[in-house]
Amino acid sequence: MYSTFGIDIEKSMKEMFDIQKKFLKGIEILQNLEEIDVDATPKDLVFEEDKMKLYHYKPFTKRPCKVPTLIVYALVNRPYMMDIQPDRSVIKNLLELGLDLYIIDWGYPTSEDMFLTMDDYINGYINDAVDYILQSRNIEKVNLIGVCQGGTFSTIYSSLYPKKVNSLTTMVTPIDFDIEEGLLFKWGKYLNIDNMVDAYGVIPGSMMNYGYMMLKPFQLMLDKYVGMLDNMDNPEVMKNFMRMEKWIFDSPDQAGETIRQFVNDLYKENKLVKGTLEVGGKKVNLKNIDMPLLNIYAEYDHLVPPTSSKALNDLVSSKDKELFSFSVGHIGMYVSSKSQKEIAPKMAKWIKDHSK
């Protein structure tokens, strides 16, 4: 039966009822959804200092890599992105491939942490975590994996403490901030971070998160929810969707003095590349990085453009250095099927080959 406008009324009514049925089923699934499980790979808390916690994952193999690897994640999100669900876990994959992993959890800064600086995070927490691993394992060096902003911190750390780092792996890491690509990099140049820090002390994570969503507003605030409607009657898809939502909105507040220096010295003045950056009175010279380097970037990264990451290989003195790209976006580096099939195996093999 067709209307005067040529619309198939019977077909339209059926589609409307199907959508309504799927929506009601989706509501039922959401109401009965069990607690969203993330960060499920077994690990032990081995060291803590203030809000920083150092975890050691239980090895999956009888003879794991003899040089342990410390993962340093960004301050702006939670590290369980790398262990978001069992079948899409970079952590689990690396353990199965024979790595011995530690990870730093920065926790959730509060007003008492407003004066924490990059010096506290790098010369303090990261260095203390590395020292704990070295002393407890009676070894001289660790491998470092730095992720996003954690990669910038790991790069700075490696330049200040090269004798403690066996190899450095950076993932989607901003290094050169004086680039033309990337909306975040353009905002960073003009952001009045001094006024924000003076006003808030600790920058709210929700404010940061809203800024990140504005980088891709249609995709992150509309398109994904429209796409969700197609799968609302699938419990597993909905569970995975809710895991990602949990991570996206689980944004820690940011210690004011740290983000002040990060924006002013790096986004605005590009001091890391210029060789004028100082952290805790120590000058950061990227030429001090002489250990093997694996620099991994995402070809479709809207947060950290490839140009920013790729610059690192030309700034270090390492003779053994490799630049590797994958055709994924920033988040796809951790949760995509390519990540599980290609990225984690590449990292594990490279680290093991450089830990003999």
Side-chain angles (χ1 to χ4, degrees):
M1 180 174 64
Y2 288 86
S3 70
T4 53
F5 299 103
I7 297 174
D8 186 335
I9 296 176
E10 185 176 346
K11 182 180 178 183
S12 298
M13 292 295 289
K14 182 179 184 307
E15 288 177 349
M16 187 178 72
F17 282 123
D18 287 347
I19 291 173
Q20 187 179 40
K21 186 178 176 182
K22 184 176 286 189
F23 182 76
L24 291 174
K25 179 66 176 177
I27 296 295
E28 181 185 342
I29 290 173
L30 285 174
Q31 287 177 332
N32 296 308
L33 209 58
E34 298 175 357
E35 186 175 353
I36 302 299
D37 55 330
V38 295
D39 201 16
T41 303
K43 60 184 184 300
D44 296 316
L45 175 63
V46 294
F47 176 73
E48 58 185 316
E49 182 178 9
D50 301 330
K51 292 185 173 68
M52 185 276 286
K53 290 182 170 57
L54 176 66
Y55 291 94
H56 182 212
Y57 287 95
K58 295 182 182 299
F60 277 29
T61 56
K62 288 184 178 179
R63 293 183 179 178
C65 180
K66 65 181 182 181
V67 180
T69 299
L70 173 62
I71 298 174
V72 181
Y73 199 80
L75 301 176
V76 294
N77 283 109
R78 301 289 292 147
Y80 60 76
M81 168 52 72
M82 301 185 76
D83 191 25
I84 194 78
Q85 64 190 66
D87 62 338
R88 290 181 184 269
S89 169
V90 174
I91 298 287
K92 181 169 174 281
N93 213 342
L94 293 175
L95 290 167
E96 289 174 341
L97 292 165
L99 293 194
D100 184 359
L101 293 179
Y102 291 79
I103 192 168
I104 287 176
D105 183 339
W106 298 117
Y108 296 86
T110 61
S111 57
E112 68 181 6
D113 303 309
M114 62 190 293
F115 296 114
L116 285 179
T117 61
M118 286 176 61
D119 175 33
D120 293 311
Y121 280 104
I122 296 170
N123 291 314
Y125 298 136
I126 294 178
N127 192 42
D128 291 344
V130 169
D131 282 348
Y132 170 83
I133 297 170
L134 299 184
Q135 291 166 14
S136 63
R137 302 292 293 271
N138 193 27
I139 55 177
E140 296 181 350
K141 295 184 178 184
V142 297
N143 297 312
L144 278 185
I145 295 178
V147 180
C148 190
Q149 182 193 34
T152 310
F153 280 15
S154 297
T155 299
I156 294 170
Y157 180 81
S158 298
S159 75
L160 296 175
Y161 302 91
K163 293 183 178 179
K164 297 182 182 182
V165 182
N166 179 66
S167 73
L168 171 64
T169 300
T170 54
M171 299 181 72
V172 290
T173 292
I175 296 295
D176 187 351
F177 292 79
D178 188 17
I179 61 173
E180 296 302 320
E181 308 100 298
L183 193 53
L184 186 62
F185 284 65
K186 293 179 180 177
W187 286 355
K189 288 182 175 61
Y190 301 100
L191 183 67
N192 193 333
I193 192 66
D194 293 320
N195 278 359
M196 291 177 65
V197 173
D198 291 344
Y200 286 99
V202 171
I203 303 298
S206 57
M207 179 187 295
M208 301 279 294
N209 201 35
Y210 185 71
Y212 290 127
M213 287 195 290
M214 288 304 293
L215 294 172
K216 295 180 85 172
F218 180 77
Q219 182 176 346
L220 297 178
M221 292 193 287
L222 180 63
D223 185 54
K224 68 174 181 179
Y225 296 110
V226 173
M228 180 193 73
L229 291 174
D230 290 334
N231 297 292
M232 281 195 75
D233 56 347
N234 186 325
E236 281 306 309
V237 173
M238 287 304 296
K239 200 168 183 179
N240 293 342
F241 180 84
M242 294 306 294
R243 285 190 178 104
M244 283 301 299
E245 290 294 280
K246 175 183 174 69
W247 178 80
I248 289 171
F249 292 100
D250 189 5
S251 303
D253 296 344
Q254 298 296 298
E257 293 306 319
T258 295
I259 196 168
R260 188 200 298 269
Q261 185 181 8
F262 199 82
V263 171
N264 285 336
D265 284 2
L266 300 181
Y267 277 103
K268 293 186 177 180
E269 299 191 38
N270 204 25
K271 288 185 175 180
L272 182 58
V273 167
K274 292 178 179 175
T276 56
L277 178 67
E278 290 191 8
V279 176
K282 299 178 180 179
K283 198 162 188 176
V284 179
N285 183 355
L286 294 180
K287 290 295 182 188
N288 291 339
I289 296 178
D290 56 1
M291 71 288 300
L293 167 68
L294 175 62
N295 184 2
I296 301 174
Y297 66 93
E299 295 172 10
Y300 305 111
D301 197 331
H302 73 290
L303 291 174
V304 182
T307 308
S308 179
S309 300
K310 290 160 67 176
L312 179 60
N313 286 48
D314 294 328
L315 297 168
V316 300
S317 60
S318 308
K319 293 181 179 176
D320 185 348
K321 52 189 174 183
E322 190 171 345
L323 189 61
F324 217 83
S325 71
F326 291 92
S327 57
V328 295
H330 194 81
I331 304 303
M333 189 63 79
Y334 316 107
V335 301
S336 66
S337 57
K338 189 181 289 289
S339 173
Q340 311 311 314
K341 293 177 182 175
E342 298 180 25
I343 300 173
K346 168 67 182 178
M347 292 170 61
K349 183 178 186 308
W350 187 89
I351 290 171
K352 287 191 293 185
D353 286 347
H354 290 84
S355 300
K356 296 176 180 175

